[in-house]
Amino acid sequence: MADLFEDYPLGPGWDEMFGVPGEPRPTYEALHATLRPLAGSELRIRAEVLARAFLDQGITFALKGVERPFPLDIVPRIIAAEQWRQVEAGVAQRVRALEAFLADVYGEGHALRDGIVPRRIIVTSAHFHREAAGIVPPNGVRVHVAGVDLIRDEAGEFRVLEDNVRTPSGVSYVMENRRAMAHVLPEVFAQTRVRPVESYPGMLLQALRASAPAGVDDPTVVVLTPGVHNSAYFEHALLAREMGVELVEGRDLVCAGNEVAMRTTAGEQRVDVIYRRIDDEFLDPVHFRADSMLGCAGLLNAARAGNVTIANAIGNGVADDKLLYTYVPDLIRYYLGEEPLLSNVETYRLDDPDVRTYVLSRLDDLVLKPVDGSGGAGIVIGSQATEEQLEHVRQRIQLDPRGWIAQREVKLSMVPTLIEDRLRPRHVDLRPFAVNDGNQVRVLPGGLTRVALPEGALVVNSSQGGGSKDTWVLPEPGAPAEEWQQDPFPGEIAVIPSPRRPDPGPGQSGNNQQQQQQQQARADGRVQC
């Protein structure tokens, strides 16, 4: 075997390329055959070119206040058609159930009355907002965009790790990863039929337009961003550009008479749909944080009056609560009358005293997660934690059992990843993106594969030092060419200037409060991959 795969070890998780050493699974045979003749140094040079291009073009994320190229591993991840069928159906099913739950919990509350979910779980959730009660979106959609995080367990079975239905991020990297891979590894790309991903902006725009208030035939759609200091600003700008809509900040909007307009050089123009990338707490200072400079006063009243649609809807975060996650299989059965197509990871509810006692007796075997955490923040992996860390989390659980869950430590599946000049197995997860237009839930064929770059690491988030892979979904056998045919060089990598953060000199601190709020919105983890 060539140097790239020399001494390639099979790790403790499911290896997606190799079933046994040196023998690739059928899905990866073509990729394996193409990579074998390449020298590790050649692949490393291409990877360095890719990283420089991402940085120069502004395809970055912020880590500890520094703009960095989003690490894209040069070896793609491949998902067979039959595996994708399960993912696609399972994600769509989950989104439909969460839609029904959100409509119910901010409406009649049947699931609470029938004991499917204890009422205390809802009212104690940090992201349940009574201010959203009674608001009915024009086409009934609250989850316009969902990012459902999946892992493959030791047997290769896809499982749901968590739900993201507030402001899920990362789809821009899905599109840019594909464009970049076509440029730096064309010989691999050309030999594999891959379903395209460039249709996402069109899917999203169609869903946003379909959610416009009643009687609006040609809605004005905008993307609302916290600004250039937000770690996902690149994505906000890219999506606005690809959809052909305006990218606005809160200061660009004005709300009067329960109607929203944006300021333009030609005067005020009515806004019908706002695809917001700002957390609930910062969105409307009338109802939430009074000191917010990121949103626009009156947005919630305008939504309640039916004059503007906010996507995703305010209050969706209650469905992201990791304790509520444990009830989603029951919600699928309750609302849809179906069995879940994707299983959860085995999870313990620590608000139960007996369960809590059991978990506290074996912390070193489990993964402990704060229910409101995101971006990998606060996670404690028992087998990798020190005694001091375990004692600290023990105390925190005892003080606030509602604020934590425990999960079985799953050895995430592994995919070959370029480490220096060799390919080595690294753990990965997958975030498929689903778009709901009110008639159907469509799942983009692929998604963001995140990879834990340090050896043995299980936390894949970019905020914790992880990277990404291009995710290739293979078409069904005999599928017509239009389902997989694409331009191998689908446009240049998007050029969006990377935001810089100059130090304000004396007398230049007037925007400090807004900058701090933008930094806080990022630190809260709502936009971290």
Side-chain angles (χ1 to χ4, degrees):
M1 182 174 291
D3 287 348
L4 271 175
F5 290 98
E6 184 177 358
D7 299 324
Y8 180 90
L10 290 184
W14 174 274
D15 194 291
E16 298 195 11
M17 179 177 279
F18 296 104
V20 296
E23 295 185 18
R25 302 181 192 276
T27 304
Y28 278 88
E29 285 178 349
L31 174 62
H32 180 260
T34 305
L35 290 176
R36 286 190 65 184
L38 298 178
S41 58
E42 178 186 353
L43 210 57
R44 168 54 54 192
I45 290 172
R46 298 194 197 190
E48 291 171 354
V49 169
L50 180 60
R52 286 197 300 270
F54 267 34
L55 184 59
D56 291 344
Q57 303 292 349
I59 305 175
T60 63
F61 75 105
L63 180 62
K64 299 180 180 178
V66 178
E67 290 295 329
R68 305 170 185 265
F70 191 66
L72 169 60
D73 183 66
I74 202 165
V75 180
R77 179 191 200 176
I78 302 177
I79 300 177
E82 62 272 16
Q83 297 166 348
W84 185 250
R85 281 200 304 270
Q86 178 196 12
V87 169
E88 188 174 40
V91 168
Q93 180 192 58
R94 202 166 179 101
V95 171
R96 291 197 305 271
L98 291 176
E99 281 280 13
F101 164 74
L102 288 167
D104 191 19
V105 78
Y106 288 112
E108 298 296 326
H110 295 294
L112 310 185
R113 181 198 62 199
D114 294 342
I116 305 301
V117 178
R119 188 176 298 273
R120 59 181 170 80
I121 299 298
I122 304 303
V123 299
T124 57
S125 173
H127 300 291
F128 172 67
H129 295 308
R130 290 177 175 84
E131 296 87 346
I135 298 179
V136 180
N139 66 340
V141 175
R142 289 171 170 80
V143 183
H144 303 80
V145 180
V148 179
D149 290 349
L150 307 177
I151 55 96
R152 295 184 75 177
D153 63 16
E154 298 86 348
E157 178 184 352
F158 279 104
R159 291 177 177 267
V160 179
L161 192 61
E162 64 180 57
D163 303 293
N164 299 277
V165 296
R166 280 176 286 179
T167 55
S169 67
V171 74
S172 60
Y173 301 118
V174 175
M175 297 186 291
E176 294 308 316
N177 286 356
R178 179 62 52 83
R179 290 171 178 162
M181 287 293 293
H183 282 272
V184 301
L185 209 61
E187 63 269 50
V188 179
F189 193 89
Q191 295 185 31
T192 308
R193 297 191 305 173
V194 184
R195 294 182 62 184
V197 297
E198 65 265 20
S199 62
Y200 180 83
M203 289 169 50
L204 176 58
L205 182 60
Q206 178 183 336
L208 295 175
R209 289 177 60 85
S211 70
V216 178
D217 297 325
D218 187 18
T220 297
V221 178
V222 299
V223 176
L224 176 59
T225 177
V228 298
H229 293 273
N230 187 271
S231 62
Y233 178 75
F234 167 78
E235 176 159 303
H236 308 165
L238 175 66
L239 290 176
R241 182 174 69 88
E242 294 281 346
M243 289 191 292
V245 304
E246 293 293 335
L247 179 68
V248 301
E249 297 183 29
R251 60 191 175 184
D252 300 318
L253 300 178
V254 58
C255 189
N258 288 338
E259 292 187 353
V260 181
M262 63 176 167
R263 298 182 175 95
T264 74
T265 55
E268 294 181 356
Q269 178 182 350
R270 174 173 167 145
V271 172
D272 304 298
V273 181
I274 300 173
Y275 178 41
R276 55 77 175 249
R277 299 300 296 264
I278 296 176
D279 295 344
D280 291 351
E281 292 79 5
F282 296 92
L283 192 60
D284 186 341
V286 173
H287 293 277
F288 300 108
R289 285 187 53 160
D291 64 340
S292 175
M293 300 175 66
L294 301 181
C296 175
L299 287 184
L300 188 61
N301 290 341
R304 185 179 298 280
N307 295 326
V308 72
T309 299
I310 299 174
N312 284 352
I314 293 174
N316 277 13
V318 67
D320 285 359
D321 188 304
K322 291 183 176 63
L323 187 55
L324 190 281
Y325 154 92
T326 66
Y327 292 91
V328 174
D330 292 331
L331 295 177
I332 292 173
R333 298 183 185 100
Y334 179 73
Y335 291 117
L336 306 183
E338 302 170 358
E339 284 300 310
L341 299 175
L342 294 171
S343 300
N344 282 6
V345 173
E346 295 90 336
T347 305
Y348 301 93
R349 300 167 182 162
L350 301 186
D351 59 341
D352 183 313
D354 293 335
V355 173
R356 185 165 65 252
T357 299
Y358 171 75
V359 166
L360 292 176
S361 70
R362 52 186 298 246
L363 289 180
D364 56 350
D365 292 332
L366 299 169
V367 177
L368 296 311
K369 295 181 177 181
V371 298
D372 292 328
S374 59
I379 293 176
V380 177
I381 300 174
S383 64
Q384 301 176 4
T386 64
E387 288 296 330
E388 291 77 13
Q389 290 172 325
L390 291 178
E391 182 57 32
H392 179 66
V393 76
R394 180 191 304 277
Q395 294 175 7
R396 294 187 65 185
I397 289 171
Q398 290 172 331
L399 288 173
D400 180 23
R402 164 65 176 84
W404 292 82
I405 60 168
Q407 291 182 324
R408 176 177 74 85
E409 182 178 316
V410 180
K411 298 300 182 184
L412 281 61
S413 64
M414 312 183 86
V415 178
T417 301
L418 185 63
I419 306 296
E420 297 180 351
D421 292 338
R422 300 287 186 273
L423 291 179
R424 292 294 180 261
R426 290 295 186 266
H427 294 292
V428 297
D429 78 349
L430 176 66
R431 176 176 290 180
F433 290 90
V435 176
N436 186 3
D437 64 8
N439 293 318
Q440 62 176 327
V441 178
R442 293 187 287 177
V443 183
L444 187 69
L448 181 62
T449 287
R450 300 177 295 182
V451 55
L453 297 176
E455 184 175 3
L458 295 174
V459 180
V460 301
N461 306 77
S462 62
S463 53
Q464 306 296 314
S468 72
K469 286 178 173 287
D470 190 13
T471 308
W472 293 4
V473 173
L474 304 184
E476 296 282 354
E482 57 265 23
E483 291 189 12
W484 55 266
Q485 217 168 41
Q486 54 189 320
D487 182 356
F489 298 98
E492 294 300 321
I493 295 175
V495 179
I496 295 176
S498 178
R500 304 299 175 196
R501 299 185 176 87
D503 291 330
Q508 295 180 355
S509 59
N511 290 328
N512 277 358
Q513 184 179 6
Q514 182 173 358
Q515 291 177 5
Q516 289 170 1
Q517 289 185 354
Q518 290 167 338
Q519 294 283 357
Q520 181 62 47
R522 181 177 71 232
D524 285 345
R526 309 294 185 256
V527 295
Q528 294 175 339
C529 295

